Amino acid sequence: MTGMTYHVFKRMRTPLLALLAAYSIAILGMTLIPGVDDQGNPWRMSFFHAFYYVSFMATTIGFGEIPYAFSEAQRVWGIFCIYLTVIAWFYAIGAIINLVQDSGFRGAFIRDNFARSVRAIREPFYIICGYGDTGKELVRALCAREIRAVVVDSNQHQMHDLALTNHSLEVPGVCADVRVPKTLIDAGIQHHWCQGLVAMTDIDAVNLKVAITSKLLNPDMPVICRGEAPEYEENMASFGTDHIIDPFTTFSNRLALALDKPGLHLLNDWLSGVPGAPMEDPVYPPKGTWVVCGFGPFGKAMHASLTRRGIPVVTVEFDPDKTSSPPGTIQGIGADHATLRAAGIENAVGLVAGTQDDANNLSIVMTAVEMNPQLFVVIRQNRSMNTPLFSAVTANLVMQSSRILAREVRLLLTLPLLREFLILAQKRDNDWANGVSSRILGMMRTNVHPSSWSVSVDEERAPAIVDSIKRGNPVAIVDLMRSPANRDEFMPCMPLLLKRASGQTLLTPETELHLNPGDQVLFCGERGVRHRMGWSFANINALGYILTGDDSPDGWVFQKYHAWRAKRAMRQERV
């Protein structure tokens, strides 16, 4: 029995019994009280006639005294029945109104509708737990790739935002506690089409509970979790969580990449950023003494990343004993001149404002820059609503957890081949990265982030390529880069990675390489190229034109029309 059905039976049981009793008494009385027929003979109403009479009488329709005129006793009983049934109906209608207004019933009604809409999904989808900044960006990215998503969040305001957002696909959502297993079951954790679950709430304990529940109810389903505290991350990993993303460690690793290989850091930003957004300039973090304010999870990650590279770091912490700060830590927040002077800010080259309070971080940066305008500034933004303030402050890098998490999860869900490319690229040197960045910059006609997509050579997603290869007509990477409208023109795109069916990977492969069934190719280029390229690997005629230049139609009618046009052109040439 569903929650809504239970609520209906629980609240309507007494009113329905009262209505049933009133009808029973009225019908029984009508059958027992004697009447007279049209011949003057004694007559008693049958149960059928009594039920018929009470039914229209109770609803005040009033068809009259049938089948014969009533006796005085029957009329007295009829008056009694009118008041009895009307009171019973008033009682039942009042109970229905109270039921509709009951918050528990409305909640059960919404949850039942949510579960029903999830059960009706017949295409791949992901479950997103938490509809904060990260969840919103993930849903937006999935819908842009035409991938369905189901959202669960315990905050009703977030559900209102979801309902008011105009996504390109329908996104079922419900306000519920994700720690309750029934909530995840309703969200489709055991659904045939569910491709994975993403737990992005702000609380590690909640994400841990979601990971445990997911792995127990559906062990084979991929689970991606947000984790900030090491003890929770270890616990998540012990339950087989597929991907655990720590935004602080991820950011500190990217800063280390900018220190070691700034060209590769720039390439990473361009490819993993939002397509169409303006390209960033390269950043060159200086090597020298850094001051880290705040020794929480973010400060610890930054301290570890910098000290691993032999960079001297001075930490500033309000409660050094509680956070196990390193020896020599300056006690304080870092928003005043005295504390920063004691930390040596005037001789430092870099500053990390990494406390959990946005106001403190802004104050630290403003004071520090006033004392040393040449500082390279890294600031932590905890609340997205403060973006205008952080845009106004002078900072080289802004660490925003929601953006980092959204980017990492977006790559995992929609572009796993791009994530593999970025991991392989870290093994290359800075000159290689600068060369790839230069090619991208020369290819793009505007200074915006390129779009990335992958082509899988298989029967389902590239039937034309597979068919052509089977017929003995090889297809090279460069063939896919030709315009389906004019094969002599090349679309603004370039291959980044070729992954053979055998597992062999080639970074920035030669475009003359032939493709084989099972291969995957990662491209980047201008927005819109992906859809134009889709004609080549999905339509045999478009691919045939690209390979041979022959654009003959395949239908009988169009073949005849094409032949007629060719003959007419030849006659005109003779004339």
Side-chain angles (χ1 to χ4, degrees), residues 461-480:
R461 285 163 286 194
I465 298 178
V466 175
D467 184 65
S468 180
I469 295 172
K470 287 181 177 177
R471 292 183 184 185
N473 301 319
V475 180
I477 295 175
V478 68
D479 294 326
L480 301 183

PDB file of all heavy atoms in Angstrom, residues 461-480:
ATOM      1  N   ARG A 461      26.315   3.868 -32.587  1.00  0.00           N
ATOM      2  CA  ARG A 461      26.555   5.310 -32.648  1.00  0.00           C
ATOM      3  C   ARG A 461      27.209   5.776 -33.947  1.00  0.00           C
ATOM      4  O   ARG A 461      27.151   6.961 -34.264  1.00  0.00           O
ATOM      5  CB  ARG A 461      27.393   5.742 -31.447  1.00  0.00           C
ATOM      6  CG  ARG A 461      26.590   5.782 -30.157  1.00  0.00           C
ATOM      7  CD  ARG A 461      27.451   5.808 -28.938  1.00  0.00           C
ATOM      8  NE  ARG A 461      28.052   4.505 -28.684  1.00  0.00           N
ATOM      9  CZ  ARG A 461      28.643   4.164 -27.558  1.00  0.00           C
ATOM     10  NH1 ARG A 461      28.719   5.041 -26.574  1.00  0.00           N
ATOM     11  NH2 ARG A 461      29.176   2.963 -27.394  1.00  0.00           N
ATOM     12  N   ALA A 462      27.855   4.906 -34.676  1.00  0.00           N
ATOM     13  CA  ALA A 462      28.476   5.301 -35.955  1.00  0.00           C
ATOM     14  C   ALA A 462      28.239   4.196 -36.982  1.00  0.00           C
ATOM     15  O   ALA A 462      29.189   3.592 -37.498  1.00  0.00           O
ATOM     16  CB  ALA A 462      29.965   5.573 -35.755  1.00  0.00           C
ATOM     17  N   PRO A 463      26.980   3.922 -37.327  1.00  0.00           N
ATOM     18  CA  PRO A 463      26.697   2.800 -38.238  1.00  0.00           C
ATOM     19  C   PRO A 463      27.281   3.015 -39.631  1.00  0.00           C
ATOM     20  O   PRO A 463      27.702   2.056 -40.282  1.00  0.00           O
ATOM     21  CB  PRO A 463      25.169   2.757 -38.273  1.00  0.00           C
ATOM     22  CG  PRO A 463      24.722   4.123 -37.858  1.00  0.00           C
ATOM     23  CD  PRO A 463      25.756   4.619 -36.906  1.00  0.00           C
ATOM     24  N   ALA A 464      27.331   4.265 -40.099  1.00  0.00           N
ATOM     25  CA  ALA A 464      27.837   4.518 -41.450  1.00  0.00           C
ATOM     26  C   ALA A 464      29.332   4.196 -41.531  1.00  0.00           C
ATOM     27  O   ALA A 464      29.795   3.614 -42.527  1.00  0.00           O
ATOM     28  CB  ALA A 464      27.592   5.979 -41.821  1.00  0.00           C
ATOM     29  N   ILE A 465      30.098   4.539 -40.510  1.00  0.00           N
ATOM     30  CA  ILE A 465      31.539   4.269 -40.521  1.00  0.00           C
ATOM     31  C   ILE A 465      31.784   2.759 -40.500  1.00  0.00           C
ATOM     32  O   ILE A 465      32.603   2.231 -41.256  1.00  0.00           O
ATOM     33  CB  ILE A 465      32.224   4.953 -39.322  1.00  0.00           C
ATOM     34  CG1 ILE A 465      32.061   6.473 -39.409  1.00  0.00           C
ATOM     35  CG2 ILE A 465      33.699   4.586 -39.271  1.00  0.00           C
ATOM     36  CD1 ILE A 465      32.655   7.216 -38.239  1.00  0.00           C
ATOM     37  N   VAL A 466      31.067   2.053 -39.620  1.00  0.00           N
ATOM     38  CA  VAL A 466      31.254   0.596 -39.522  1.00  0.00           C
ATOM     39  C   VAL A 466      30.878  -0.071 -40.833  1.00  0.00           C
ATOM     40  O   VAL A 466      31.588  -0.968 -41.327  1.00  0.00           O
ATOM     41  CB  VAL A 466      30.401   0.045 -38.356  1.00  0.00           C
ATOM     42  CG1 VAL A 466      30.486  -1.473 -38.311  1.00  0.00           C
ATOM     43  CG2 VAL A 466      30.874   0.636 -37.028  1.00  0.00           C
ATOM     44  N   ASP A 467      29.779   0.378 -41.444  1.00  0.00           N
ATOM     45  CA  ASP A 467      29.344  -0.206 -42.711  1.00  0.00           C
ATOM     46  C   ASP A 467      30.376   0.043 -43.806  1.00  0.00           C
ATOM     47  O   ASP A 467      30.678  -0.846 -44.602  1.00  0.00           O
ATOM     48  CB  ASP A 467      27.988   0.401 -43.105  1.00  0.00           C
ATOM     49  CG  ASP A 467      27.422  -0.234 -44.352  1.00  0.00           C
ATOM     50  OD1 ASP A 467      27.110  -1.438 -44.293  1.00  0.00           O
ATOM     51  OD2 ASP A 467      27.315   0.456 -45.388  1.00  0.00           O
ATOM     52  N   SER A 468      30.919   1.257 -43.828  1.00  0.00           N
ATOM     53  CA  SER A 468      31.925   1.587 -44.851  1.00  0.00           C
ATOM     54  C   SER A 468      33.181   0.733 -44.676  1.00  0.00           C
ATOM     55  O   SER A 468      33.744   0.235 -45.658  1.00  0.00           O
ATOM     56  CB  SER A 468      32.276   3.076 -44.754  1.00  0.00           C
ATOM     57  OG  SER A 468      33.242   3.425 -45.711  1.00  0.00           O
ATOM     58  N   ILE A 469      33.614   0.544 -43.438  1.00  0.00           N
ATOM     59  CA  ILE A 469      34.817  -0.264 -43.188  1.00  0.00           C
ATOM     60  C   ILE A 469      34.572  -1.712 -43.604  1.00  0.00           C
ATOM     61  O   ILE A 469      35.427  -2.359 -44.214  1.00  0.00           O
ATOM     62  CB  ILE A 469      35.213  -0.173 -41.698  1.00  0.00           C
ATOM     63  CG1 ILE A 469      35.631   1.263 -41.351  1.00  0.00           C
ATOM     64  CG2 ILE A 469      36.346  -1.139 -41.381  1.00  0.00           C
ATOM     65  CD1 ILE A 469      35.852   1.496 -39.872  1.00  0.00           C
ATOM     66  N   LYS A 470      33.369  -2.234 -43.311  1.00  0.00           N
ATOM     67  CA  LYS A 470      33.050  -3.615 -43.675  1.00  0.00           C
ATOM     68  C   LYS A 470      33.035  -3.802 -45.195  1.00  0.00           C
ATOM     69  O   LYS A 470      33.335  -4.871 -45.702  1.00  0.00           O
ATOM     70  CB  LYS A 470      31.691  -4.017 -43.088  1.00  0.00           C
ATOM     71  CG  LYS A 470      31.729  -4.248 -41.577  1.00  0.00           C
ATOM     72  CD  LYS A 470      30.370  -4.669 -41.060  1.00  0.00           C
ATOM     73  CE  LYS A 470      30.432  -4.972 -39.565  1.00  0.00           C
ATOM     74  NZ  LYS A 470      29.098  -5.327 -39.033  1.00  0.00           N
ATOM     75  N   ARG A 471      32.693  -2.740 -45.927  1.00  0.00           N
ATOM     76  CA  ARG A 471      32.668  -2.833 -47.396  1.00  0.00           C
ATOM     77  C   ARG A 471      34.058  -2.642 -48.005  1.00  0.00           C
ATOM     78  O   ARG A 471      34.205  -2.631 -49.225  1.00  0.00           O
ATOM     79  CB  ARG A 471      31.743  -1.760 -47.953  1.00  0.00           C
ATOM     80  CG  ARG A 471      30.280  -1.989 -47.624  1.00  0.00           C
ATOM     81  CD  ARG A 471      29.430  -0.924 -48.270  1.00  0.00           C
ATOM     82  NE  ARG A 471      28.023  -1.069 -47.900  1.00  0.00           N
ATOM     83  CZ  ARG A 471      27.047  -0.323 -48.408  1.00  0.00           C
ATOM     84  NH1 ARG A 471      27.345   0.613 -49.300  1.00  0.00           N
ATOM     85  NH2 ARG A 471      25.806  -0.498 -48.018  1.00  0.00           N
ATOM     86  N   GLY A 472      35.047  -2.432 -47.152  1.00  0.00           N
ATOM     87  CA  GLY A 472      36.408  -2.271 -47.659  1.00  0.00           C
ATOM     88  C   GLY A 472      36.788  -0.847 -47.982  1.00  0.00           C
ATOM     89  O   GLY A 472      37.823  -0.611 -48.622  1.00  0.00           O
ATOM     90  N   ASN A 473      35.966   0.122 -47.537  1.00  0.00           N
ATOM     91  CA  ASN A 473      36.283   1.539 -47.760  1.00  0.00           C
ATOM     92  C   ASN A 473      36.780   2.136 -46.447  1.00  0.00           C
ATOM     93  O   ASN A 473      35.987   2.455 -45.563  1.00  0.00           O
ATOM     94  CB  ASN A 473      35.034   2.295 -48.235  1.00  0.00           C
ATOM     95  CG  ASN A 473      34.484   1.714 -49.510  1.00  0.00           C
ATOM     96  OD1 ASN A 473      35.245   1.354 -50.412  1.00  0.00           O
ATOM     97  ND2 ASN A 473      33.159   1.601 -49.589  1.00  0.00           N
ATOM     98  N   PRO A 474      38.082   2.275 -46.274  1.00  0.00           N
ATOM     99  CA  PRO A 474      38.613   2.771 -44.994  1.00  0.00           C
ATOM    100  C   PRO A 474      38.209   4.221 -44.745  1.00  0.00           C
ATOM    101  O   PRO A 474      38.031   5.006 -45.688  1.00  0.00           O
ATOM    102  CB  PRO A 474      40.130   2.637 -45.179  1.00  0.00           C
ATOM    103  CG  PRO A 474      40.349   2.659 -46.644  1.00  0.00           C
ATOM    104  CD  PRO A 474      39.151   2.012 -47.260  1.00  0.00           C
ATOM    105  N   VAL A 475      38.062   4.539 -43.464  1.00  0.00           N
ATOM    106  CA  VAL A 475      37.700   5.896 -43.041  1.00  0.00           C
ATOM    107  C   VAL A 475      38.804   6.411 -42.134  1.00  0.00           C
ATOM    108  O   VAL A 475      39.159   5.767 -41.139  1.00  0.00           O
ATOM    109  CB  VAL A 475      36.354   5.908 -42.285  1.00  0.00           C
ATOM    110  CG1 VAL A 475      36.004   7.321 -41.851  1.00  0.00           C
ATOM    111  CG2 VAL A 475      35.243   5.323 -43.146  1.00  0.00           C
ATOM    112  N   ALA A 476      39.382   7.560 -42.491  1.00  0.00           N
ATOM    113  CA  ALA A 476      40.432   8.170 -41.672  1.00  0.00           C
ATOM    114  C   ALA A 476      39.838   9.256 -40.776  1.00  0.00           C
ATOM    115  O   ALA A 476      38.709   9.726 -41.008  1.00  0.00           O
ATOM    116  CB  ALA A 476      41.519   8.757 -42.571  1.00  0.00           C
ATOM    117  N   ILE A 477      40.609   9.657 -39.774  1.00  0.00           N
ATOM    118  CA  ILE A 477      40.132  10.709 -38.864  1.00  0.00           C
ATOM    119  C   ILE A 477      39.855  11.993 -39.634  1.00  0.00           C
ATOM    120  O   ILE A 477      38.874  12.690 -39.397  1.00  0.00           O
ATOM    121  CB  ILE A 477      41.171  10.947 -37.754  1.00  0.00           C
ATOM    122  CG1 ILE A 477      41.312   9.699 -36.881  1.00  0.00           C
ATOM    123  CG2 ILE A 477      40.775  12.143 -36.894  1.00  0.00           C
ATOM    124  CD1 ILE A 477      42.404   9.813 -35.828  1.00  0.00           C
ATOM    125  N   VAL A 478      40.725  12.276 -40.609  1.00  0.00           N
ATOM    126  CA  VAL A 478      40.561  13.528 -41.360  1.00  0.00           C
ATOM    127  C   VAL A 478      39.247  13.548 -42.135  1.00  0.00           C
ATOM    128  O   VAL A 478      38.699  14.625 -42.396  1.00  0.00           O
ATOM    129  CB  VAL A 478      41.771  13.717 -42.302  1.00  0.00           C
ATOM    130  CG1 VAL A 478      41.755  12.664 -43.418  1.00  0.00           C
ATOM    131  CG2 VAL A 478      41.809  15.117 -42.876  1.00  0.00           C
ATOM    132  N   ASP A 479      38.735  12.372 -42.515  1.00  0.00           N
ATOM    133  CA  ASP A 479      37.466  12.329 -43.250  1.00  0.00           C
ATOM    134  C   ASP A 479      36.325  12.869 -42.390  1.00  0.00           C
ATOM    135  O   ASP A 479      35.399  13.497 -42.906  1.00  0.00           O
ATOM    136  CB  ASP A 479      37.168  10.894 -43.692  1.00  0.00           C
ATOM    137  CG  ASP A 479      38.175  10.398 -44.723  1.00  0.00           C
ATOM    138  OD1 ASP A 479      38.630  11.222 -45.535  1.00  0.00           O
ATOM    139  OD2 ASP A 479      38.505   9.195 -44.695  1.00  0.00           O
ATOM    140  N   LEU A 480      36.376  12.595 -41.093  1.00  0.00           N
ATOM    141  CA  LEU A 480      35.319  13.082 -40.201  1.00  0.00           C
ATOM    142  C   LEU A 480      35.385  14.593 -40.020  1.00  0.00           C
ATOM    143  O   LEU A 480      34.402  15.218 -39.606  1.00  0.00           O
ATOM    144  CB  LEU A 480      35.425  12.397 -38.832  1.00  0.00           C
ATOM    145  CG  LEU A 480      35.314  10.878 -38.815  1.00  0.00           C
ATOM    146  CD1 LEU A 480      35.367  10.363 -37.389  1.00  0.00           C
ATOM    147  CD2 LEU A 480      34.028  10.426 -39.485  1.00  0.00           C
TER     148      LEU A 480
END
